[in-house]
Amino acid sequence: MKVDDIKTIGVCGAGTMGAGIVQLAAQSGFNVKVIDVQEAFIQRGMSIITKNLGRLLSKERISQADHDAIMGRISASTDATVMADADFVIEAILEEVEAKKALFAQLEAVCRPDVVFATNTSSISVTQLAGVSARPDRIVGMHFFNPVPVMKLVEIIPALQTKAEAVDLTIELTKKLGRTPVPCKDTPSFIVNRILVPMIIDAVRVYDSGVATAADIDTAMKLGANLPMGPLELADFVGLDIVYHIGNMLFEYTKEARFNPPDLLRNMVQAGWLGRKTGKGFYDYAERT
Ligand code: 3HC
């Protein structure tokens, strides 16, 4: 299959990442079929897209006709058989091997045999996921960044079993989505998270040892290192549970203490202070929501 043969992209999972991928694909001119397991998850994902496109419309970045055409290209369902129409599938469901394995089985039953299944996993080995699929040579890591409509990078991760043509197709599709593909070996956290997460973890240690307030640490890093967000603000944005999980995984893999999440991070996660999504993390979002 050539990239120009891809007309319809299937997206599995309508969470923050899935919704972002749906929006990006529809804005790039593809028809998009999105599935999730519950109608409520689909509603939530569609409301993220509606809000984002509404913002682009009000800023006159897109016309009303563009807006309507983008929305018209998206169709959502809780029925995985709609994926029979997909020429390329991107999964962004929960980070559990068993859940992904069950999804692959559903997709394998309905999708054409030449369809590539890309995974947006950030914390599971792509080779392991290929191993639980019946078409391991067509599983490719395609790791997007949050917020997907804004972030230009996609890490491309072949599993050990992946055929070169599936990787090439994923790279070409990434370019058609207006994103920059960066190939990367299948190693824990790939490139960005492997560098970014220890920086966030270090910022938590700096904060915990009373060097400065969270706001001052973030201001210092924004102005002194030219980051768009300070590391603690970014932790709240990404989710403290995700940072904690990735830190733990890297620590397990490398045994390097620098990856080991500090007690404060673990306690905050256990307290349910996960950042923006729960209204509290290093900052309080209750008043802003
Ligand atoms: N969805 C869609 N668009 C969004 C958005 C969202 N959630 N948040 C902001 N935007 C858009 C705005 O509409 C605006 O668009 P415009 O330029 O066309 O007007 C543009 O982004 C800039 O937004 P703002 O002016 O409101 O705010 P900022 O200038 O502060 O930018 C930001 C917001 C883009 C989120 C910026 O702060 C940023 O880049 N932060 C760092 C994000 C980052 O590092 N992400 C990677 C996290 S790691 C990851 O995702 C990996 C995973 O595996 C954990």
Side-chain angles (χ1 to χ4, degrees):
M1 187 191 288
K2 298 269 182 297
V3 72
D4 290 340
D5 299 330
I6 300 176
K7 307 288 180 212
T8 300
I9 297 181
V11 178
C12 308
T16 305
M17 298 303 281
I21 296 166
V22 170
Q23 183 188 331
L24 176 66
Q27 275 185 261
S28 307
F30 292 95
N31 297 318
V32 188
K33 303 262 177 187
V34 52
I35 57 165
D36 209 322
V37 288
Q38 281 183 32
E39 192 55 41
F41 298 159
I42 288 179
Q43 295 295 329
R44 186 184 163 272
M46 291 306 293
S47 74
I48 296 174
I49 297 168
T50 308
K51 192 171 144 203
N52 281 343
L53 291 178
R55 199 164 48 191
L56 292 175
L57 185 62
S58 66
K59 286 184 189 167
E60 298 183 354
R61 298 277 159 81
I62 56 172
S63 66
Q64 185 67 50
D66 294 334
H67 173 278
D68 297 349
I70 295 165
M71 288 306 290
R73 286 195 281 272
I74 303 173
S75 65
S77 177
T78 51
D79 176 4
T81 62
V82 300
M83 288 294 157
D85 293 337
D87 303 309
F88 189 101
V89 176
I90 305 170
E91 77 78 15
I93 67 164
L94 66 168
E95 288 282 79
E96 285 175 11
V97 176
E98 283 306 313
K100 292 187 195 278
K101 181 179 174 180
L103 174 69
F104 289 150
Q106 283 183 311
L107 295 174
E108 283 147 12
V110 295
C111 292
R112 292 193 316 268
D114 60 337
V115 171
V116 167
F117 299 159
T119 170
N120 180 54
T121 187
S122 61
S123 62
I124 303 172
S125 148
V126 181
T127 299
Q128 183 182 3
L129 292 178
V132 299
S133 154
R135 32 179 108 163
D137 56 345
R138 294 188 183 277
I139 302 286
V140 184
M142 191 181 191
H143 185 218
F144 290 84
F145 291 81
N146 186 17
V148 175
V150 179
M151 302 294 284
K152 296 292 182 204
L153 175 70
V154 179
E155 291 173 326
I156 307 290
I157 308 103
L160 207 56
Q161 307 94 315
T162 315
K163 263 191 189 163
E165 66 179 64
V167 180
D168 294 345
L169 185 67
T170 309
I171 288 175
E172 289 312 309
L173 179 63
T174 301
K175 291 180 190 163
K176 270 194 117 172
L177 293 171
R179 295 298 176 261
T180 300
V182 171
C184 169
K185 280 192 184 158
D186 187 19
T187 51
S189 301
F190 317 131
I191 301 170
V192 173
N193 283 343
R194 183 153 178 179
I195 297 170
L196 195 60
V197 168
M199 185 194 73
I200 293 175
I201 284 176
D202 257 343
V204 177
R205 290 196 189 100
V206 168
Y207 170 73
D208 198 23
S209 46
V211 173
T213 64
D216 284 344
I217 291 168
D218 281 339
T219 299
M221 289 303 287
K222 273 193 284 194
L223 301 184
N226 233 4
L227 302 177
M229 270 181 181
L232 299 173
E233 192 188 354
L234 182 60
D236 279 0
F237 179 73
V238 168
L240 267 56
D241 50 339
I242 308 249
V243 173
Y244 179 69
H245 178 63
I246 294 174
N248 267 329
M249 192 186 65
L250 282 167
F251 178 58
E252 243 174 65
Y253 174 69
T254 62
K255 307 286 184 244
E256 288 178 39
R258 68 198 176 101
F259 293 116
N260 195 10
D263 289 344
L264 175 63
L265 187 58
R266 189 197 59 232
N267 287 341
M268 289 176 79
V269 171
Q270 286 178 348
W273 297 357
L274 306 183
R276 285 198 197 187
K277 62 186 166 190
T278 59
K280 186 169 173 54
F282 289 99
Y283 297 91
D284 207 330
Y285 300 89
E287 287 165 16
R288 302 187 208 177
T289 51

